[in-house]
Amino acid sequence: GLQGAPVIFDPATYYGHSEAEFGMSWCAGFTAAFYGAYHELIPKAPGFEERRQLYLLYHYLNHYNLFGYGYYGQCESILTRLV
């Protein structure tokens, strides 16, 4: 590589379905315009909303495990909708 050149390192790289990106979208503050533009490029596949809930739940459960009860309500709400 180039000595002294800036480098970007992402310790949380992921290879998987593009919808998995929406699992952490709750903390990013994306607007409706962002989602509209995103889905113009990558249209929603059938069942997207249900899978999105699972991706969200994964990260809320992780945050519940790491940071405690403050994330319980979100986990409970998603589980109630899915069951």
Side-chain angles (χ1 to χ4, degrees), residues 10-24:
D10 183 355
T13 58
Y14 176 81
Y15 178 80
H17 198 287
S18 63
E19 292 176 355
E21 297 174 329
F22 292 101
M24 285 295 291

Side-chain angles (χ1 to χ4, degrees), residues 8-57:
I8 296 175
F9 173 73
D10 183 355
T13 58
Y14 176 81
Y15 178 80
H17 198 287
S18 63
E19 292 176 355
E21 297 174 329
F22 292 101
M24 285 295 291
S25 63
W26 56 274
C27 64
F30 295 128
T31 64
F34 168 83
Y35 288 109
Y38 184 97
H39 290 297
E40 281 184 30
L41 295 173
I42 304 173
K44 292 180 186 180
F48 166 78
E49 293 301 331
E50 291 80 13
R51 287 187 304 279
R52 181 177 177 270
Q53 294 301 306
L54 290 172
Y55 289 128
L56 288 169
L57 179 61

